[in-house]
Amino acid sequence: MHCDSLRHRLLGALVIPALFVLAACGSTTAPGSGDSAASSTAASSTSAEPVTITHAQGTATIPSTPSKVVVFDIGVLVTLDELDVPVAGVPQLDTLPDSLAKYRSDDYAKVGSLKEPDYEKVAALGPDLIIVAGRSSAAYPELNKIARTVDLTVDNENFLSSFRQRTEALGAIFGKRDQVKQRLDALEASVNEVAAKAPAKGTGLVVLTTGGKMSAYGPGSRFGIVYDPLGVRPAVDDLSTDAHGNAISAELLAKADPDLLYVVDRDAAIGESGKAAEQVLDNELVKQTKAAKNNKIFYLDSFTWYVAPGGLSSVEAMIKAIGDSLS
């Protein structure tokens, strides 16, 4: 009896401290603080050890490089694909460019849509990390109950620094810091070049067309990168930053009279039929604008600007498109 009692005491002395160590090393997800900025800090210099990420809806500690990742944002998918990070599950999308066509195959589990995850399929897949952003951010609370989830939504009102922090977070999580830093540094250098010459090129306006109608977007909006940080002066002040933009007619567009007109065709982006953007703008009022008269109407790549605006190569392409328009 005395030996058994001593053995139980010794085991208890070992197990209880071990439990405290495990609890201290475990990951936690804190409620969002309302701060849309993101940052990442690594507990060590290697991605194999814990990395703490502050994201749009809280904080998450990733204990090691994730091996089974589910992505609910196409911009993030673009970045991970370019960084050669394997992905296990993606939303169902029929309008992917050739560069992402492989994700339509059965090699990748389809886990719902961007806005409506199939929670049962996600749970059955057993991911160790789920990434949401933008359109899928509302699903964060439920997805976070299934597995560790981070929200990498970019803050449009502080686009460049927010985008950099979100992309650096991916680099930290997947051990791609150096690769990400090199591209982000080059990207920022390009931004500075464009911003230096943009103000002298007159005013600009971004318009999205859908269903034969137009919406205008200004600084701080989903297309705000054109104005800040790229430096194009807005042709219309005080536009709402609402995701749906500001309804605008041909008359109002003619009154704004931008020197540069940038057009995004939403219907083309999502594969819907309807009037193409060129048809929507094909009227006498628009033809009287300085942009039309000087051949300064630019039709932007709809996938890049509407579907995957947060992707690393997407932002690189955006900067180039605006830079080219100023030549």
Side-chain angles (χ1 to χ4, degrees):
M1 291 291 293
H2 177 72
C3 290
D4 289 341
S5 175
L6 179 59
R7 184 180 298 110
H8 289 158
R9 289 175 185 171
L10 288 172
L11 288 172
L14 291 171
V15 169
I16 292 174
L19 290 174
F20 279 110
V21 170
L22 288 171
C25 293
S27 62
T28 60
T29 301
S33 62
D35 182 0
S36 60
S39 62
S40 62
T41 55
S44 76
S45 60
T46 63
S47 62
E49 296 192 20
V51 174
T52 298
I53 300 298
T54 301
H55 57 88
Q57 298 194 53
T59 302
T61 297
I62 291 82
S64 60
T65 304
S67 59
K68 186 175 286 188
V69 181
V70 169
V71 177
F72 279 100
D73 180 75
I74 305 306
V76 171
L77 182 63
V78 167
T79 300
L80 294 183
D81 185 71
E82 293 167 357
L83 296 177
D84 294 322
V85 173
V87 171
V90 296
Q92 181 69 48
L93 272 181
D94 297 323
T95 55
L96 289 174
D98 291 343
S99 60
L100 298 177
K102 67 182 182 183
Y103 295 104
R104 288 197 294 260
S105 76
D106 293 337
D107 293 336
Y108 302 88
K110 304 305 180 291
V111 287
S113 67
L114 286 174
K115 293 184 178 181
E116 297 182 359
D118 187 321
Y119 298 108
E120 290 185 2
K121 288 184 178 180
V122 174
L125 193 59
D128 49 9
L129 181 66
I130 304 170
I131 304 175
V132 298
R135 296 174 178 88
S136 59
S137 61
Y140 169 82
E142 289 302 314
L143 289 171
N144 197 44
K145 294 175 184 177
I146 297 173
R148 184 177 290 103
T149 303
V150 296
D151 180 357
L152 298 185
T153 299
V154 174
D155 177 9
N156 289 323
E157 295 189 13
N158 192 24
F159 182 86
L160 190 60
S161 62
S162 179
F163 169 74
R164 179 166 194 127
Q165 289 163 342
R166 298 297 191 231
T167 309
E168 285 177 341
L170 291 173
I173 292 170
F174 295 103
K176 305 284 186 175
R177 288 184 181 86
D178 292 343
Q179 189 175 345
V180 165
K181 182 179 185 303
Q182 183 178 15
R183 289 183 65 174
L184 288 174
D185 288 348
L187 183 150
E188 289 197 11
S190 297
V191 167
N192 293 334
E193 290 177 9
V194 174
K197 60 183 179 181
K201 301 298 182 178
T203 62
L205 186 64
V206 182
V207 170
L208 178 141
T209 65
T210 183
K213 298 180 181 180
M214 296 184 290
S215 297
Y217 292 81
S221 70
R222 68 193 307 164
F223 304 125
I225 183 177
V226 172
Y227 312 100
D228 181 16
L230 293 179
V232 173
R233 292 186 287 120
V236 181
D237 294 323
D238 302 321
L239 288 175
S240 167
T241 58
D242 184 81
H244 299 291
N246 302 255
I248 187 172
S249 63
E251 289 82 4
L252 289 174
L253 181 55
K255 184 178 179 180
D257 196 18
D259 295 284
L260 306 159
L261 182 59
Y262 302 101
V263 184
V264 180
D265 189 333
R266 177 183 179 273
D267 294 341
I270 62 176
E272 286 191 0
S273 59
K275 276 188 177 181
E278 291 91 338
Q279 292 176 290
V280 177
L281 294 172
D282 184 17
N283 68 69
E284 293 305 316
L285 288 170
V286 175
K287 290 177 182 178
Q288 296 307 309
T289 62
K290 292 191 290 287
K293 290 178 179 178
N294 296 316
N295 197 30
K296 290 292 183 179
I297 298 180
F298 303 96
Y299 295 92
L300 304 174
D301 180 77
S302 57
F303 176 82
T304 296
W305 287 80
Y306 187 79
V307 178
L312 185 49
S313 63
S314 295
V315 177
E316 291 169 341
M318 290 175 179
I319 296 166
K320 184 179 186 306
I322 302 307
D324 290 346
S325 76
L326 303 175
S327 299

